[in-house]
Amino acid sequence: MPQVISYTPAWLGKGTPGYDLFTGASRKPAGTCTASLNGSSTSKKKNAKPGPRRTIARRGTEIFTAVGKEIRWADLAYLKEAWIHEEETKNGTSKGKGREGSPSQYDEDHAQGYRTLKVSLAEDIRQLIISPHTNYLAILTTHTVHIAILPDSSHLTAFDTSPLKPKTYTLGPETHVTSQAAIVSALWHPLGVNGSCLVTVTEAAVVRVWELSLDDRWSFDKPTLSIDLKKLADGTSFDQDFEASKPGMNTGFSPDSFEMEVASACFAGRESGGWSPMTLWIAMREGDVYALCPLLPEKWSPPPTLIPALSVSIVAKVAAIEDDQDVPQGTRILTQQQLAWMSDLDNQEPAEVASPLGDRHSDVYARPTKPGKVPKLQGPFDFELAPEESEDELDNLLTDIYVIGPKLDVDELMFGEENDLEIDDPGNGLSLGVVCLLTSSGRLSISLDLDGVEAQWLPKPGSKVLKFTDDSDPPSLLTFQVLDTTRNGEVWEGNWPMFSSDFTSRYSFFVTDTSSVTYISLTPWVFTLENELRDSGVGAEFRIDLMVKAHNSFRGRIYTEQSKDRLSPLASSVAMRDPDLGYFILTATPYHPVAVIFESPDTGEIEEIGHQSYSPTYDSEPLQPIINPRPVYQPAHALEEQSALPSLLEKLRHSRYKRLLKEDIRLSPATLHVMTDAHKVLSEETLRIGTAAAELFRRCERLQIELQSQIKEVHKVAGRVDEITGDDRDDQPAADVNERVEARISKASKRQKELTERIEKLRRQATKATGRELTDKERGWAEEIVEVQSAVLGEGDTVDGFGTTKQPWVRFDEVKQLKDELLDQVEDLAAEDARPASRGVKVPSEIRKAKMAQITALLNRETALVEGARNRLDRLRSS
């Protein structure tokens, strides 16, 4: 987990431009009821349907934040430097900036670093989605989508600080209207040409693909591809009409209208492996998950490795099932469809299109027409090892989905190739896809896509393929782990948790709900699981089972909103990392910004490497900060809001009850009506003010308790200081504090010197005992001695010889055995000489003596050889 070092910095504090960037121009009353004063009362508070609130987008160090119908634009690095300059000017420590006669760029009559973007909208902004090349900004309300052309960053440093009105296009002015289903997700397609393809997903499960072009105004009016997922789920062939119904057409009731209510949708990263970059994952509110692959625009630009990787995978699959008779027929037909799709791509000649950012040219392909442009809807996925369904309804209502695609297998892609393919980011991590789901209760489910989602299409009209595909098993996801990101008392029906990506790793992310931000990291088990899957050996199943049961995913709460007001939820967090700003996440409520600043991840990596250098088994404890950081207390916004009572009186002066203000109070229906309306306003305001005052009182009490604890800690520290200085001893004569401290320092220095000398002495002795390391020649000589020892004496590890020459100790044993046999024969011959002579052949004694002398000489020679070898070996040992 990244170490939190501080919270919202001073340059985003109250009274700074950074603070005003996230709040309204004036505090409007937050009353829920106002009187119409025409004989009836109405409620202006609408129970808005819960949904995602992504009102912060970033472009480098620049941020775009939505406040109501207005968009604020600022450069955070510029705001920070301006605040530092202002503080230095106040303290008189400015170094050459802002001095008399030398105006600074941060003066009031110069650029302020922030602007306001005016956009004509009918409702408040709910989401801001910036394009991959940061030149478009998708502005989403509940039912409408607007595409703004972002201005250049130079406008932030211009002298003119008036509001800007960027060029804005309404996306689908006849499609995305208030009379149709609400919009839940707007995604920039990872494979769009120069990041100009937008995919919108409505609550009624309608997916539309928009290929935007500034040269073609009609590209903002009509999508190039429109798919109704409810129709596609019941489709039987690709020639059917799956386009969404036109606005104004009556649609009958269908059970799918309830079960296929979309909560969120997402793509995996552009650099993911396999079919992931063109797979749209859809999470339904009721808990089902679907996949749409391949979902492509008419013109798309793949990364350099995508098409070669898919081609290698498809060809390998065709070769594997070609001669295998056990492969199901549905798999064979699916492989043939993928091969036809890839053949269509191979027959194309891609066009080169220059990137607007000045990057290298990208190849643009046309969407293959075979087997069809509308893919098959895969799902709903079956969750294996999923926990039992909870009785709480909020545990089963999905709010967001986050998919991490599998890594690109570079080794398989480049197998047999002589020239390496230039890959910007080969990727690392897991070779499986990871699907993360969030529910309204804050429950996080982490699942693995073991089979991998591949491209699928519906069959031809009248084909018999459908019977093969229906018999196949439904797609499934393996539930790896389930975590809770909310605490007791934080769960309510309007909660809508959201995912936010992180910089440090694609396997770490943030979860933001109404009142908290939680950090989640999957890195503790991702790389371990990948190693087990790649090099699976004996005991791999046992180790994987232990890893799954260990629950190694890291979860840490990094921020909790102090206010209990559920009508001021946190916006989706945005992670930022810049040398000038540091590494932090930024979020905001409608009343103030929130920033959590982390320690730089580079420092953490260096420290981790340094700890590992001590010992392979060294397990370092996490560093604890000297001062535990905590957010600064923000008073409740109810204390700063304007009262609604003056506006009520102003309306009363222009209503038919204006005469009541000049007359005495009389009991009448009109007076009762006015009093009722005033009571509604005052009761709500007094309730909010009373709650805020109670919270302030509790904070004051908590401050007293913490102050007392701090005083106790200071008292302990003072006692330790007295022990060091000797003031705690009353029986000794008083002495100067400096003298006592110097005496202790000198004693400690002397002790340190003695220890240093002892360590140096031990080091010298150890150096003499160990000596220097052996050279290669000395090690070879020692090995030769061991071989000679084993050859002569037969001790140690013997080496089997492959030649015909016997070892000396073997020959010596044979000679001893031969000596014993000859001595037995000599004794037999001597016994025969003692007996009377027989008629046999007699051997002269001279011959027998000569033979015996010859044998004795041979034995003495062998004995001398063995003794000589033994003596030489003893000398070698002693040397």
Side-chain angles (χ1 to χ4, degrees), residues 555-849:
R555 171 188 55 185
R557 176 72 67 86
I558 61 176
Y559 179 78
T560 301
E561 176 63 21
Q562 302 168 354
S563 176
K564 302 301 181 181
D565 186 4
R566 292 176 175 175
L567 298 180
S568 57
L570 291 172
S572 180
S573 303
V574 175
M576 301 186 68
R577 183 180 176 187
D578 184 76
D580 297 329
L581 299 175
Y583 172 41
F584 68 101
I585 63 168
L586 182 65
T587 181
T589 69
Y591 304 100
H592 61 86
V594 176
V596 182
I597 303 176
F598 304 111
E599 187 179 5
S600 175
D602 296 335
T603 305
E605 293 173 1
I606 294 173
E607 290 178 355
E608 184 178 357
I609 295 174
H611 290 321
Q612 292 178 355
S613 63
Y614 287 107
S615 172
T617 59
Y618 179 80
D619 187 11
S620 61
E621 297 182 356
L623 297 177
Q624 298 294 334
I626 299 176
I627 300 176
N628 188 18
R630 59 182 179 181
V632 179
Y633 170 66
Q634 295 283 351
H637 55 83
L639 300 176
E640 301 178 0
E641 290 177 349
Q642 298 178 359
S643 175
L645 191 59
S647 62
L648 178 65
L649 294 176
E650 185 65 26
K651 291 181 180 179
L652 186 61
R653 291 189 183 97
H654 297 84
S655 67
R656 61 181 179 176
Y657 302 114
K658 60 183 178 180
R659 61 182 180 82
L660 298 177
L661 299 177
K662 301 178 182 179
E663 298 177 356
D664 296 336
I665 299 178
R666 298 178 180 179
L667 298 179
S668 64
T671 303
L672 178 61
H673 179 74
V674 173
M675 289 296 182
T676 303
D677 290 341
H679 180 267
K680 290 179 180 178
V681 175
L682 290 177
S683 62
E684 277 204 17
E685 291 186 354
T686 53
L687 176 62
R688 293 198 310 273
I689 294 176
T691 305
E695 178 66 20
L696 182 60
F697 179 77
R698 286 192 295 269
R699 288 285 176 174
C700 292
E701 286 188 337
R702 180 179 174 184
L703 181 62
Q704 293 178 355
I705 297 173
E706 291 180 352
L707 183 59
Q708 292 176 0
S709 63
Q710 293 293 333
I711 292 175
K712 291 180 181 179
E713 293 295 331
V714 172
H715 182 69
K716 292 180 181 179
V717 174
R720 295 181 60 185
V721 172
D722 291 340
E723 291 178 1
I724 295 174
T725 58
D727 291 340
D728 58 333
R729 299 180 181 180
D730 299 333
D731 55 346
Q732 294 182 358
D736 187 17
V737 176
N738 294 334
E739 294 179 358
R740 291 196 299 268
V741 173
E742 290 177 359
R744 293 200 60 180
I745 292 175
S746 61
K747 184 178 179 180
S749 301
K750 184 178 179 181
R751 178 64 176 168
Q752 180 68 23
K753 186 177 181 181
E754 292 177 357
L755 292 176
T756 304
E757 292 178 353
R758 289 181 61 186
I759 292 174
E760 184 65 22
K761 184 178 179 180
L762 292 175
R763 188 185 64 80
R764 289 196 299 266
Q765 292 179 357
T767 304
K768 292 180 180 179
T770 56
R772 62 183 180 85
E773 296 182 357
L774 298 177
T775 62
D776 294 339
K777 291 185 179 180
E778 290 174 343
R779 284 194 292 267
W781 182 65
E783 293 175 357
E784 185 178 356
I785 291 176
V786 174
E787 292 179 359
V788 173
Q789 178 184 359
S790 62
V792 175
L793 302 180
E795 300 176 357
D797 297 334
T798 59
V799 181
D800 296 336
F802 295 96
T804 57
T805 305
K806 297 182 179 180
Q807 299 293 342
W809 62 274
V810 177
R811 294 173 60 193
F812 178 70
D813 291 341
E814 291 180 355
V815 170
K816 289 173 63 177
Q817 184 179 1
L818 181 61
K819 174 185 175 181
D820 295 337
E821 293 177 356
L822 292 176
L823 289 177
D824 293 341
Q825 292 180 8
V826 169
E827 291 177 357
D828 293 341
L829 291 176
E832 290 179 0
D833 291 341
R835 292 197 300 268
S838 61
R839 293 183 178 182
V841 178
K842 297 181 178 180
V843 179
S845 58
E846 293 82 3
I847 295 175
R848 289 199 302 270
K849 292 179 180 180

Side-chain angles (χ1 to χ4, degrees), residues 213-290:
S213 175
L214 298 180
D215 299 331
D216 184 7
R217 178 63 180 83
W218 294 102
S219 63
F220 294 89
D221 293 342
K222 186 177 180 181
T224 58
L225 183 62
S226 177
I227 305 174
D228 190 342
L229 299 184
K230 294 188 291 292
K231 294 181 180 179
L232 186 60
D234 300 329
T236 57
S237 61
F238 66 81
D239 64 335
Q240 292 178 284
D241 182 17
F242 301 111
E243 189 173 356
S245 302
K246 295 182 180 180
M249 293 182 62
N250 295 326
T251 56
F253 172 78
S254 172
D256 294 338
S257 301
F258 178 74
E259 296 180 356
M260 298 191 70
E261 179 185 350
V262 179
S264 181
C266 75
F267 285 98
R270 175 179 171 87
E271 300 298 334
S272 301
W275 300 88
S276 295
M278 59 185 76
T279 302
L280 177 65
W281 293 83
I282 306 103
M284 302 301 173
R285 187 75 169 129
E286 296 299 319
D288 292 334
V289 176
Y290 293 85

Side-chain angles (χ1 to χ4, degrees), residues 53 93 140 321 349 483 516 571 585 670 730:
R53 184 172 180 265
T93 59
L140 277 70
I321 68 175
E349 186 66 28
L483 303 173
S516 64
I585 63 168
D730 299 333

Side-chain angles (χ1 to χ4, degrees), residues 441-627:
S441 63
R443 176 170 293 182
L444 170 63
S445 299
I446 304 171
S447 304
L448 300 179
D449 184 14
L450 300 181
D451 300 329
V453 174
E454 297 183 352
Q456 293 187 21
W457 296 268
L458 290 173
K460 297 179 180 180
S463 176
K464 298 181 180 180
V465 179
L466 190 60
K467 67 178 182 180
F468 298 110
T469 56
D470 290 343
D471 296 337
S472 60
D473 296 333
S476 62
L477 298 173
L478 177 63
T479 303
F480 184 84
Q481 191 174 0
V482 178
L483 303 173
D484 287 326
T485 61
T486 55
R487 302 169 181 170
N488 294 333
E490 295 179 349
V491 180
W492 65 294
E493 61 276 4
N495 193 27
W496 196 277
M498 297 165 288
F499 287 107
S500 301
S501 58
D502 187 23
F503 276 106
T504 57
S505 173
R506 67 193 189 109
Y507 290 99
S508 60
F509 47 85
F510 299 95
V511 175
T512 308
D513 57 18
T514 304
S515 59
S516 64
V517 181
T518 306
Y519 174 78
I520 305 293
S521 178
L522 312 182
T523 53
W525 58 267
V526 162
F527 300 99
T528 305
L529 178 60
E530 178 63 20
N531 293 334
E532 294 293 345
L533 295 177
R534 180 184 301 176
D535 303 325
S536 58
V538 179
E541 297 181 0
F542 175 74
R543 292 191 297 271
I544 293 177
D545 182 64
L546 289 179
M547 180 177 56
V548 172
K549 293 179 179 179
H551 301 300
N552 291 324
S553 297
F554 185 85
R555 171 188 55 185
R557 176 72 67 86
I558 61 176
Y559 179 78
T560 301
E561 176 63 21
Q562 302 168 354
S563 176
K564 302 301 181 181
D565 186 4
R566 292 176 175 175
L567 298 180
S568 57
L570 291 172
S572 180
S573 303
V574 175
M576 301 186 68
R577 183 180 176 187
D578 184 76
D580 297 329
L581 299 175
Y583 172 41
F584 68 101
I585 63 168
L586 182 65
T587 181
T589 69
Y591 304 100
H592 61 86
V594 176
V596 182
I597 303 176
F598 304 111
E599 187 179 5
S600 175
D602 296 335
T603 305
E605 293 173 1
I606 294 173
E607 290 178 355
E608 184 178 357
I609 295 174
H611 290 321
Q612 292 178 355
S613 63
Y614 287 107
S615 172
T617 59
Y618 179 80
D619 187 11
S620 61
E621 297 182 356
L623 297 177
Q624 298 294 334
I626 299 176
I627 300 176

